[in-house]
Amino acid sequence: MENYEERKSLLQEMISFALVDGQLHDREYDFLELIANQLEIDKPTFLELFKNPSEVKVIKDEFNRICQFYRLALLMHSDGVLHERELIKINEIGINMGLNPYSTKRVLQLMEKSPNQMIDGAVLLSVFAEQYN
């Protein structure tokens, strides 16, 4: 992440995504709080993002777009319930990020098959690298 505003934007996107099903589950909140800490966003700013959403900035670097997509996918699975609206929205987000739709679908399938809904970072990157071959 290059700067504070970009990190804040990533968190804002995740908060908006967490609310797409109309509820914020405790596990989703805990996951978002963990990400806020990793992104070095203080608690007052974190809470303010729920009240006053700001515009989400475009992520320029493909690696960071892939990482953000994966964070969103982890968030989607964090409450243990996969809502249809979440699935539709994450696919829209992937397309808007300029990620290959085949790759995003494949990542989501791999996560669904995984016992803990997580996949190895090397596997994640290889799925997106397949599109270049």
Side-chain angles (χ1 to χ4, degrees), residues 17-100:
F17 183 68
L19 298 171
V20 79
D21 64 358
Q23 297 179 22
L24 182 65
H25 299 277
D26 290 342
R27 292 174 75 187
E28 289 173 321
Y29 179 85
D30 292 343
F31 184 77
L32 289 167
E33 191 171 36
L34 177 71
I35 296 296
N37 288 332
Q38 289 178 346
L39 295 174
E40 299 176 351
I41 295 174
D42 59 56
K43 184 81 170 197
T45 303
F46 171 64
L47 296 173
E48 187 65 28
L49 291 174
F50 285 95
K51 297 175 192 169
N52 298 316
S54 58
E55 186 176 316
V56 175
K57 298 184 184 327
V58 176
I59 304 169
K60 295 177 180 142
D61 178 75
E62 184 177 30
F63 175 77
N64 286 322
R65 289 192 311 256
I66 291 169
C67 290
Q68 179 67 355
F69 179 82
Y70 184 59
R71 281 189 210 105
L72 291 168
L74 288 171
L75 177 61
M76 179 174 74
H77 288 287
S78 69
D79 63 358
V81 179
L82 184 59
H83 295 276
E84 185 179 342
R85 291 202 294 193
E86 290 174 325
L87 198 52
I88 292 168
K89 185 65 176 176
I90 198 163
N91 283 303
E92 286 176 11
I93 290 171
I95 290 169
N96 290 337
M97 287 180 166
L99 298 175
N100 181 290

Coordinates of all heavy atoms in Angstrom, one line a residue, residues 17-100:
F17 N -18.6 -4.1 1.3 CA -18.9 -5.4 0.9 C -19.5 -6.2 2.1 O -20.4 -7.0 1.9 CB -17.6 -6.1 0.4 CG -17.9 -7.5 -0.1 CD1 -18.6 -7.7 -1.2 CD2 -17.3 -8.6 0.6 CE1 -18.8 -9.0 -1.7 CE2 -17.6 -9.9 0.2 CZ -18.3 -10.1 -1.0
A18 N -19.0 -6.0 3.3 CA -19.6 -6.8 4.4 C -21.0 -6.4 4.7 O -21.8 -7.3 5.2 CB -18.8 -6.4 5.7
L19 N -21.5 -5.3 4.3 CA -22.9 -4.8 4.5 C -23.8 -5.2 3.4 O -25.0 -4.9 3.4 CB -22.9 -3.3 4.8 CG -22.1 -2.9 6.0 CD1 -22.0 -1.4 6.1 CD2 -22.8 -3.4 7.3
V20 N -23.3 -5.8 2.3 CA -24.1 -6.1 1.1 C -25.3 -7.0 1.4 O -26.3 -6.9 0.8 CB -23.2 -6.6 -0.1 CG1 -22.9 -8.1 0.1 CG2 -23.9 -6.3 -1.4
D21 N -25.1 -7.9 2.4 CA -26.2 -8.8 2.7 C -27.2 -8.2 3.8 O -28.1 -8.8 4.2 CB -25.7 -10.1 3.2 CG -24.9 -10.1 4.5 OD1 -24.7 -8.9 5.0 OD2 -24.5 -11.1 5.0
G22 N -26.9 -6.9 4.1 CA -27.8 -6.2 5.1 C -27.5 -6.4 6.5 O -28.2 -5.9 7.4
Q23 N -26.5 -7.2 6.8 CA -26.1 -7.5 8.2 C -24.6 -7.4 8.3 O -23.9 -7.7 7.4 CB -26.6 -8.9 8.6 CG -28.0 -9.1 8.6 CD -28.4 -10.5 9.0 OE1 -27.6 -11.2 9.7 NE2 -29.5 -11.0 8.7
L24 N -24.2 -7.0 9.5 CA -22.7 -7.1 9.9 C -22.6 -8.1 11.0 O -23.0 -7.8 12.1 CB -22.2 -5.8 10.2 CG -20.7 -5.7 10.6 CD1 -19.9 -6.1 9.3 CD2 -20.3 -4.4 11.1
H25 N -22.1 -9.3 10.7 CA -22.0 -10.3 11.7 C -20.7 -10.0 12.6 O -19.8 -9.4 12.1 CB -21.9 -11.7 11.1 CG -23.1 -12.1 10.3 ND1 -24.2 -12.6 10.9 CD2 -23.3 -11.9 9.0 CE1 -25.1 -12.8 9.9 NE2 -24.6 -12.4 8.8
D26 N -20.7 -10.5 13.8 CA -19.6 -10.3 14.7 C -18.3 -10.8 14.1 O -17.3 -10.1 14.2 CB -19.8 -11.1 16.0 CG -21.0 -10.4 16.9 OD1 -21.3 -9.3 16.6 OD2 -21.5 -11.1 17.8
R27 N -18.3 -11.9 13.4 CA -17.1 -12.5 12.8 C -16.6 -11.6 11.7 O -15.4 -11.4 11.5 CB -17.3 -13.9 12.4 CG -17.5 -14.8 13.6 CD -17.9 -16.2 13.2 NE -16.7 -16.9 12.6 CZ -16.7 -18.1 12.1 NH1 -17.9 -18.7 11.9 NH2 -15.7 -18.7 11.6
E28 N -17.5 -11.0 10.9 CA -17.2 -10.0 9.9 C -16.5 -8.8 10.5 O -15.5 -8.3 10.0 CB -18.4 -9.7 9.0 CG -18.9 -10.8 8.2 CD -20.2 -10.4 7.5 OE1 -21.0 -9.7 8.1 OE2 -20.3 -10.8 6.3
Y29 N -17.1 -8.3 11.6 CA -16.6 -7.1 12.2 C -15.2 -7.4 12.8 O -14.3 -6.6 12.6 CB -17.5 -6.7 13.4 CG -17.0 -5.5 14.1 CD1 -17.2 -4.2 13.6 CD2 -16.2 -5.6 15.2 CE1 -16.7 -3.1 14.3 CE2 -15.7 -4.5 15.9 CZ -15.9 -3.2 15.4 OH -15.4 -2.1 16.1
D30 N -15.0 -8.6 13.4 CA -13.7 -8.9 13.9 C -12.7 -9.0 12.8 O -11.5 -8.6 13.0 CB -13.8 -10.3 14.7 CG -14.6 -10.2 16.0 OD1 -14.9 -9.1 16.5 OD2 -15.0 -11.2 16.5
F31 N -13.1 -9.6 11.7 CA -12.2 -9.7 10.5 C -11.8 -8.3 10.0 O -10.6 -8.0 9.8 CB -12.8 -10.5 9.4 CG -11.9 -10.8 8.3 CD1 -10.9 -11.7 8.3 CD2 -12.1 -10.1 7.1 CE1 -10.1 -12.0 7.2 CE2 -11.2 -10.3 6.0 CZ -10.2 -11.2 6.1
L32 N -12.8 -7.4 9.9 CA -12.5 -6.0 9.5 C -11.6 -5.3 10.4 O -10.7 -4.6 10.0 CB -13.8 -5.3 9.3 CG -14.7 -5.7 8.1 CD1 -16.1 -5.1 8.3 CD2 -14.1 -5.3 6.8
E33 N -11.8 -5.5 11.7 CA -11.0 -4.9 12.7 C -9.5 -5.4 12.6 O -8.6 -4.6 12.7 CB -11.6 -5.1 14.1 CG -10.9 -4.3 15.2 CD -11.7 -4.4 16.5 OE1 -12.2 -5.5 16.8 OE2 -11.7 -3.4 17.2
L34 N -9.4 -6.6 12.4 CA -8.0 -7.2 12.2 C -7.3 -6.6 11.0 O -6.2 -6.2 11.1 CB -8.1 -8.7 12.0 CG -6.9 -9.5 11.7 CD1 -6.0 -9.5 13.0 CD2 -7.2 -10.9 11.3
I35 N -8.1 -6.5 9.9 CA -7.5 -5.8 8.7 C -7.2 -4.4 8.9 O -6.1 -3.9 8.5 CB -8.5 -6.0 7.5 CG1 -8.7 -7.4 7.1 CG2 -8.0 -5.2 6.3 CD1 -7.5 -8.2 6.6
A36 N -8.0 -3.7 9.7 CA -7.8 -2.3 10.0 C -6.4 -2.2 10.8 O -5.6 -1.3 10.5 CB -8.9 -1.7 10.8
N37 N -6.2 -3.1 11.7 CA -5.0 -3.1 12.5 C -3.8 -3.3 11.6 O -2.8 -2.6 11.7 CB -5.0 -4.1 13.6 CG -5.9 -3.7 14.7 OD1 -6.2 -2.5 14.9 ND2 -6.5 -4.6 15.4
Q38 N -3.9 -4.3 10.6 CA -2.8 -4.6 9.7 C -2.5 -3.4 8.8 O -1.4 -3.2 8.4 CB -3.1 -5.8 8.9 CG -3.1 -7.1 9.7 CD -3.5 -8.3 8.9 OE1 -4.0 -8.2 7.8 NE2 -3.2 -9.5 9.4
L39 N -3.6 -2.7 8.4 CA -3.4 -1.5 7.6 C -3.0 -0.3 8.3 O -2.9 0.8 7.7 CB -4.7 -1.3 6.7 CG -5.1 -2.4 5.8 CD1 -6.4 -2.1 5.1 CD2 -4.0 -2.5 4.7
E40 N -2.9 -0.4 9.6 CA -2.5 0.7 10.5 C -3.5 1.9 10.5 O -3.2 3.0 10.4 CB -1.1 1.2 10.2 CG 0.0 0.2 10.4 CD 1.4 0.6 10.0 OE1 1.5 1.7 9.4 OE2 2.3 -0.2 10.3
I41 N -4.8 1.5 10.6 CA -5.9 2.4 10.6 C -6.4 2.4 12.0 O -6.8 1.4 12.5 CB -7.0 2.1 9.6 CG1 -6.4 2.2 8.2 CG2 -8.2 3.0 9.8 CD1 -7.2 1.8 7.1
D42 N -6.4 3.6 12.7 CA -6.8 3.7 14.1 C -8.3 3.4 14.2 O -9.1 3.5 13.3 CB -6.4 5.0 14.7 CG -7.0 6.2 14.0 OD1 -8.3 6.2 13.9 OD2 -6.3 7.1 13.5
K43 N -8.7 3.1 15.5 CA -10.1 2.7 15.8 C -11.1 3.8 15.5 O -12.1 3.5 14.9 CB -10.1 2.3 17.3 CG -11.5 1.8 17.7 CD -11.7 0.4 17.4 CE -12.9 -0.2 18.1 NZ -13.0 -1.6 18.1
P44 N -10.8 5.1 15.8 CA -11.8 6.1 15.5 C -12.0 6.2 14.0 O -13.2 6.4 13.5 CB -11.2 7.4 16.0 CG -10.3 6.9 17.1 CD -9.8 5.6 16.7
T45 N -11.0 6.1 13.2 CA -11.1 6.2 11.7 C -11.9 5.0 11.2 O -12.8 5.1 10.3 CB -9.7 6.3 11.0 OG1 -9.0 7.4 11.6 CG2 -9.9 6.4 9.5
F46 N -11.6 3.8 11.7 CA -12.3 2.6 11.4 C -13.8 2.7 11.6 O -14.6 2.4 10.7 CB -11.7 1.4 12.2 CG -12.4 0.1 12.1 CD1 -12.5 -0.6 10.9 CD2 -13.0 -0.4 13.2 CE1 -13.2 -1.8 10.8 CE2 -13.7 -1.6 13.2 CZ -13.8 -2.3 12.0
L47 N -14.1 3.2 12.8 CA -15.6 3.4 13.1 C -16.2 4.4 12.2 O -17.4 4.3 11.9 CB -15.7 3.7 14.6 CG -15.3 2.6 15.6 CD1 -15.4 3.1 17.0 CD2 -16.1 1.3 15.4
E48 N -15.5 5.5 11.9 CA -16.0 6.5 11.1 C -16.3 6.0 9.7 O -17.3 6.5 9.0 CB -15.0 7.7 11.0 CG -15.5 8.9 10.3 CD -16.7 9.6 11.0 OE1 -16.8 9.5 12.2 OE2 -17.5 10.3 10.3
L49 N -15.6 5.0 9.2 CA -15.9 4.5 7.8 C -17.2 3.8 7.7 O -17.8 3.7 6.7 CB -14.8 3.5 7.4 CG -13.4 4.1 7.2 CD1 -12.3 3.0 6.9 CD2 -13.4 5.1 6.0
F50 N -17.7 3.4 8.9 CA -19.1 2.8 8.9 C -20.1 3.9 8.8 O -21.2 3.7 8.1 CB -19.3 2.0 10.2 CG -18.6 0.7 10.2 CD1 -17.4 0.5 10.8 CD2 -19.2 -0.5 9.7 CE1 -16.7 -0.7 10.9 CE2 -18.6 -1.7 9.7 CZ -17.3 -1.8 10.3
K51 N -19.9 5.0 9.4 CA -20.9 6.1 9.4 C -20.8 6.9 8.1 O -21.9 7.3 7.6 CB -20.6 7.0 10.6 CG -20.7 6.3 11.9 CD -20.4 7.3 13.0 CE -20.2 6.5 14.3 NZ -19.6 7.4 15.4
N52 N -19.6 7.3 7.7 CA -19.5 8.2 6.5 C -18.6 7.5 5.4 O -17.4 7.7 5.4 CB -18.8 9.5 7.0 CG -19.6 10.2 7.9 OD1 -20.8 10.3 7.8 ND2 -19.0 10.7 9.0
P53 N -19.2 6.7 4.6 CA -18.4 6.0 3.6 C -17.8 7.1 2.6 O -18.4 8.1 2.3 CB -19.4 5.1 2.8 CG -20.8 5.5 3.3 CD -20.6 6.4 4.5
S54 N -16.6 6.8 2.2 CA -15.9 7.6 1.3 C -15.8 6.9 -0.1 O -16.0 5.7 -0.1 CB -14.5 8.0 1.8 OG -13.8 6.9 2.1
E55 N -15.3 7.6 -1.0 CA -15.2 7.0 -2.4 C -14.0 6.0 -2.4 O -13.0 6.3 -1.8 CB -14.9 8.1 -3.4 CG -14.9 7.6 -4.8 CD -14.7 8.7 -5.8 OE1 -15.4 9.8 -5.6 OE2 -13.9 8.6 -6.7
V56 N -14.2 4.9 -3.0 CA -13.2 3.9 -3.1 C -12.2 4.2 -4.2 O -12.7 4.5 -5.3 CB -13.8 2.4 -3.3 CG1 -12.7 1.4 -3.5 CG2 -14.7 2.1 -2.1
K57 N -10.9 4.2 -3.9 CA -9.9 4.5 -5.0 C -9.6 3.3 -5.8 O -9.6 2.2 -5.2 CB -8.7 5.1 -4.3 CG -9.0 6.4 -3.6 CD -7.7 7.0 -3.0 CE -7.9 8.2 -2.2 NZ -8.9 9.1 -2.5
V58 N -9.2 3.5 -7.0 CA -8.8 2.4 -7.9 C -7.4 1.9 -7.5 O -6.5 2.7 -7.3 CB -8.8 2.8 -9.4 CG1 -8.3 1.7 -10.3 CG2 -10.2 3.2 -9.8
I59 N -7.3 0.6 -7.4 CA -5.9 0.0 -7.1 C -5.2 -0.2 -8.4 O -5.7 -0.9 -9.3 CB -6.1 -1.3 -6.3 CG1 -7.0 -1.2 -5.1 CG2 -4.7 -1.9 -6.0 CD1 -7.4 -2.5 -4.4
K60 N -4.1 0.4 -8.5 CA -3.3 0.4 -9.8 C -2.5 -0.9 -10.0 O -2.5 -1.4 -11.1 CB -2.4 1.6 -9.9 CG -3.2 2.9 -9.9 CD -2.3 4.1 -9.9 CE -3.2 5.4 -9.9 NZ -2.8 6.4 -9.2
D61 N -1.9 -1.4 -9.0 CA -1.1 -2.6 -9.1 C -1.9 -3.9 -9.1 O -2.7 -4.1 -8.2 CB -0.1 -2.5 -7.9 CG 0.8 -3.7 -7.8 OD1 1.8 -3.7 -8.7 OD2 0.6 -4.6 -7.0
E62 N -1.6 -4.7 -10.0 CA -2.4 -6.0 -10.1 C -2.2 -6.9 -8.9 O -3.2 -7.5 -8.5 CB -2.1 -6.7 -11.4 CG -3.0 -8.0 -11.6 CD -2.7 -8.7 -12.8 OE1 -1.6 -8.7 -13.3 OE2 -3.7 -9.4 -13.3
F63 N -1.0 -7.0 -8.4 CA -0.8 -7.8 -7.2 C -1.7 -7.3 -6.1 O -2.3 -8.2 -5.4 CB 0.7 -7.8 -6.8 CG 1.0 -8.5 -5.6 CD1 1.0 -9.9 -5.6 CD2 1.2 -7.8 -4.4 CE1 1.3 -10.6 -4.4 CE2 1.4 -8.5 -3.2 CZ 1.5 -9.9 -3.2
N64 N -1.8 -6.0 -5.9 CA -2.6 -5.5 -4.8 C -4.1 -5.7 -5.1 O -4.9 -5.9 -4.1 CB -2.3 -4.0 -4.5 CG -1.0 -3.9 -3.8 OD1 -0.6 -4.7 -2.9 ND2 -0.2 -2.9 -4.2
R65 N -4.5 -5.7 -6.3 CA -5.9 -5.9 -6.7 C -6.2 -7.4 -6.3 O -7.3 -7.7 -5.8 CB -6.2 -5.6 -8.1 CG -6.2 -4.2 -8.5 CD -6.7 -3.9 -9.9 NE -6.2 -4.7 -10.9 CZ -5.3 -4.3 -11.8 NH1 -4.8 -3.0 -11.7 NH2 -4.8 -5.1 -12.7
I66 N -5.3 -8.3 -6.7 CA -5.5 -9.7 -6.4 C -5.6 -9.9 -4.8 O -6.5 -10.6 -4.3 CB -4.4 -10.6 -7.0 CG1 -4.5 -10.6 -8.5 CG2 -4.4 -12.0 -6.4 CD1 -3.3 -11.2 -9.2
C67 N -4.7 -9.3 -4.1 CA -4.7 -9.4 -2.6 C -6.1 -8.9 -2.1 O -6.6 -9.5 -1.2 CB -3.6 -8.6 -2.0 SG -2.0 -9.4 -2.3
Q68 N -6.5 -7.7 -2.6 CA -7.8 -7.2 -2.1 C -9.0 -8.1 -2.5 O -9.9 -8.3 -1.6 CB -8.0 -5.8 -2.7 CG -9.3 -5.1 -2.3 CD -9.4 -4.8 -0.8 OE1 -8.5 -5.1 0.0 NE2 -10.5 -4.1 -0.4
F69 N -9.0 -8.7 -3.6 CA -10.0 -9.6 -4.0 C -10.0 -10.8 -3.0 O -11.1 -11.2 -2.6 CB -9.8 -10.1 -5.4 CG -10.9 -11.1 -5.9 CD1 -12.1 -10.7 -6.3 CD2 -10.6 -12.5 -5.8 CE1 -13.1 -11.6 -6.7 CE2 -11.6 -13.4 -6.1 CZ -12.8 -12.9 -6.6
Y70 N -8.9 -11.3 -2.7 CA -8.8 -12.4 -1.8 C -9.3 -12.0 -0.4 O -10.0 -12.8 0.3 CB -7.3 -12.9 -1.7 CG -7.2 -14.2 -0.9 CD1 -7.9 -15.3 -1.1 CD2 -6.3 -14.1 0.2 CE1 -7.7 -16.5 -0.3 CE2 -6.2 -15.3 1.0 CZ -6.9 -16.4 0.7 OH -6.7 -17.5 1.5
R71 N -8.9 -10.8 0.1 CA -9.4 -10.3 1.4 C -10.9 -10.3 1.4 O -11.6 -10.7 2.3 CB -8.9 -8.9 1.7 CG -7.5 -8.9 2.2 CD -7.2 -7.4 2.6 NE -5.8 -7.2 2.5 CZ -5.2 -6.4 1.5 NH1 -6.0 -5.8 0.6 NH2 -3.9 -6.2 1.4
L72 N -11.5 -9.8 0.3 CA -13.0 -9.7 0.2 C -13.6 -11.1 0.2 O -14.6 -11.3 0.8 CB -13.4 -9.0 -1.1 CG -13.1 -7.5 -1.1 CD1 -13.3 -6.9 -2.5 CD2 -13.9 -6.7 -0.1
A73 N -12.9 -12.0 -0.5 CA -13.4 -13.4 -0.5 C -13.4 -14.0 0.9 O -14.3 -14.8 1.3 CB -12.6 -14.3 -1.5
L74 N -12.3 -13.8 1.6 CA -12.2 -14.2 3.0 C -13.3 -13.6 3.9 O -13.9 -14.3 4.7 CB -10.8 -13.9 3.6 CG -9.6 -14.7 3.1 CD1 -8.3 -14.1 3.6 CD2 -9.7 -16.2 3.5
L75 N -13.5 -12.4 3.7 CA -14.6 -11.7 4.4 C -15.9 -12.3 4.1 O -16.7 -12.5 5.0 CB -14.6 -10.2 4.1 CG -15.7 -9.3 4.7 CD1 -15.6 -9.3 6.2 CD2 -15.6 -7.9 4.2
M76 N -16.1 -12.6 2.9 CA -17.4 -13.2 2.4 C -17.7 -14.5 3.2 O -18.8 -14.9 3.5 CB -17.4 -13.5 0.9 CG -18.6 -14.1 0.3 SD -18.5 -14.2 -1.5 CE -17.3 -15.5 -1.7
H77 N -16.6 -15.3 3.4 CA -16.7 -16.6 4.1 C -16.7 -16.5 5.6 O -16.9 -17.5 6.3 CB -15.6 -17.5 3.6 CG -15.9 -18.0 2.2 ND1 -16.8 -18.9 1.9 CD2 -15.2 -17.7 1.1 CE1 -16.8 -19.1 0.6 NE2 -15.8 -18.4 0.1
S78 N -16.3 -15.3 6.2 CA -16.0 -15.2 7.6 C -17.2 -15.5 8.5 O -17.0 -16.0 9.6 CB -15.4 -13.9 7.9 OG -16.4 -12.8 7.8
D79 N -18.4 -15.2 8.0 CA -19.6 -15.4 8.9 C -20.2 -16.8 8.7 O -21.1 -17.2 9.4 CB -20.7 -14.4 8.7 CG -21.2 -14.4 7.3 OD1 -20.8 -15.2 6.4 OD2 -22.1 -13.6 7.0
G80 N -19.6 -17.6 7.8 CA -20.0 -19.0 7.7 C -21.3 -19.1 6.8 O -21.8 -20.2 6.6
V81 N -21.8 -18.0 6.3 CA -23.0 -18.0 5.4 C -22.7 -17.3 4.1 O -22.2 -16.2 4.1 CB -24.2 -17.3 6.1 CG1 -25.4 -17.3 5.3 CG2 -24.5 -17.9 7.5
L82 N -22.9 -18.0 3.0 CA -22.6 -17.5 1.7 C -23.9 -17.0 1.1 O -24.8 -17.8 0.7 CB -22.0 -18.5 0.8 CG -21.5 -18.1 -0.6 CD1 -20.5 -16.9 -0.5 CD2 -20.9 -19.2 -1.3
H83 N -24.1 -15.7 1.1 CA -25.3 -15.1 0.5 C -25.2 -14.9 -1.0 O -24.1 -14.6 -1.5 CB -25.6 -13.7 1.2 CG -25.9 -13.8 2.6 ND1 -27.2 -14.1 3.1 CD2 -25.2 -13.7 3.7 CE1 -27.2 -14.1 4.4 NE2 -25.9 -13.9 4.8
E84 N -26.3 -15.0 -1.7 CA -26.3 -14.9 -3.1 C -25.8 -13.5 -3.5 O -25.1 -13.3 -4.5 CB -27.6 -15.2 -3.7 CG -27.7 -15.1 -5.2 CD -29.0 -15.4 -5.8 OE1 -29.9 -16.0 -5.1 OE2 -29.2 -15.1 -7.0
R85 N -26.3 -12.5 -2.7 CA -25.9 -11.1 -3.0 C -24.4 -10.9 -2.9 O -23.8 -10.1 -3.6 CB -26.6 -10.1 -2.1 CG -28.1 -10.1 -2.5 CD -28.8 -8.8 -2.0 NE -28.9 -8.6 -0.6 CZ -29.6 -7.8 0.0 NH1 -30.3 -7.1 -0.4 NH2 -29.7 -7.6 1.3
E86 N -23.8 -11.6 -1.9 CA -22.3 -11.5 -1.8 C -21.6 -12.1 -3.0 O -20.6 -11.5 -3.5 CB -21.9 -12.2 -0.5 CG -22.3 -11.6 0.8 CD -22.0 -12.4 2.0 OE1 -22.1 -13.7 1.9 OE2 -21.6 -11.8 3.0
L87 N -22.1 -13.2 -3.4 CA -21.5 -13.8 -4.6 C -21.6 -13.0 -5.8 O -20.6 -12.8 -6.6 CB -22.1 -15.2 -4.8 CG -21.3 -16.2 -5.7 CD1 -19.9 -16.4 -5.2 CD2 -22.1 -17.5 -5.7
I88 N -22.7 -12.4 -6.0 CA -22.9 -11.5 -7.2 C -22.0 -10.3 -7.1 O -21.3 -9.9 -8.0 CB -24.4 -11.1 -7.3 CG1 -25.3 -12.3 -7.7 CG2 -24.6 -9.9 -8.3 CD1 -26.8 -12.0 -7.6
K89 N -22.0 -9.7 -5.9 CA -21.2 -8.5 -5.7 C -19.7 -8.7 -5.8 O -19.0 -7.9 -6.4 CB -21.5 -7.9 -4.3 CG -20.8 -6.6 -4.0 CD -21.4 -5.5 -4.9 CE -20.8 -4.1 -4.6 NZ -21.2 -3.1 -5.5
I90 N -19.2 -9.8 -5.3 CA -17.7 -10.1 -5.4 C -17.3 -10.3 -6.8 O -16.3 -9.9 -7.3 CB -17.3 -11.3 -4.5 CG1 -15.8 -11.2 -4.3 CG2 -17.7 -12.6 -5.0 CD1 -15.2 -11.9 -3.2
N91 N -18.2 -10.9 -7.6 CA -17.9 -11.1 -9.1 C -17.9 -9.7 -9.8 O -17.0 -9.5 -10.6 CB -18.9 -12.0 -9.7 CG -18.6 -13.5 -9.4 OD1 -17.5 -13.9 -9.7 ND2 -19.5 -14.2 -8.8
E92 N -18.8 -8.8 -9.4 CA -18.8 -7.5 -10.0 C -17.5 -6.7 -9.6 O -16.9 -6.1 -10.4 CB -20.0 -6.7 -9.4 CG -21.3 -7.1 -10.0 CD -22.5 -6.3 -9.4 OE1 -22.3 -5.3 -8.6 OE2 -23.7 -6.7 -9.6
I93 N -17.2 -6.9 -8.3 CA -16.0 -6.2 -7.9 C -14.7 -6.7 -8.6 O -13.9 -5.9 -9.1 CB -15.8 -6.4 -6.3 CG1 -16.9 -5.6 -5.6 CG2 -14.4 -5.9 -5.9 CD1 -16.9 -5.9 -4.1
G94 N -14.6 -8.0 -8.8 CA -13.5 -8.6 -9.6 C -13.4 -8.0 -11.0 O -12.4 -7.6 -11.4
I95 N -14.6 -7.9 -11.6 CA -14.6 -7.3 -13.0 C -14.2 -5.9 -13.0 O -13.4 -5.4 -13.8 CB -16.0 -7.5 -13.6 CG1 -16.2 -9.0 -13.9 CG2 -16.2 -6.7 -14.9 CD1 -17.6 -9.4 -14.3
N96 N -14.8 -5.1 -12.0 CA -14.4 -3.7 -11.9 C -12.9 -3.5 -11.6 O -12.4 -2.4 -11.9 CB -15.3 -3.0 -10.9 CG -16.7 -2.9 -11.3 OD1 -17.0 -2.9 -12.5 ND2 -17.6 -2.8 -10.4
M97 N -12.3 -4.5 -10.9 CA -10.9 -4.4 -10.6 C -10.1 -4.7 -11.9 O -8.8 -4.5 -11.8 CB -10.5 -5.3 -9.5 CG -11.0 -5.0 -8.1 SD -10.4 -6.2 -7.0 CE -10.6 -5.4 -5.4
G98 N -10.7 -5.2 -12.9 CA -10.0 -5.6 -14.1 C -9.3 -7.0 -14.0 O -8.4 -7.3 -14.7
L99 N -9.8 -7.8 -13.0 CA -9.3 -9.1 -12.9 C -10.0 -10.1 -13.8 O -11.2 -9.9 -14.1 CB -9.5 -9.6 -11.4 CG -8.7 -8.8 -10.4 CD1 -9.1 -9.3 -9.0 CD2 -7.2 -8.9 -10.6
N100 N -9.3 -11.1 -14.2 CA -9.9 -12.1 -15.2 C -11.1 -12.8 -14.5 O -10.9 -13.4 -13.4 CB -8.8 -13.1 -15.6 CG -9.3 -14.1 -16.5 OD1 -10.1 -15.0 -16.2 ND2 -8.8 -14.0 -17.8

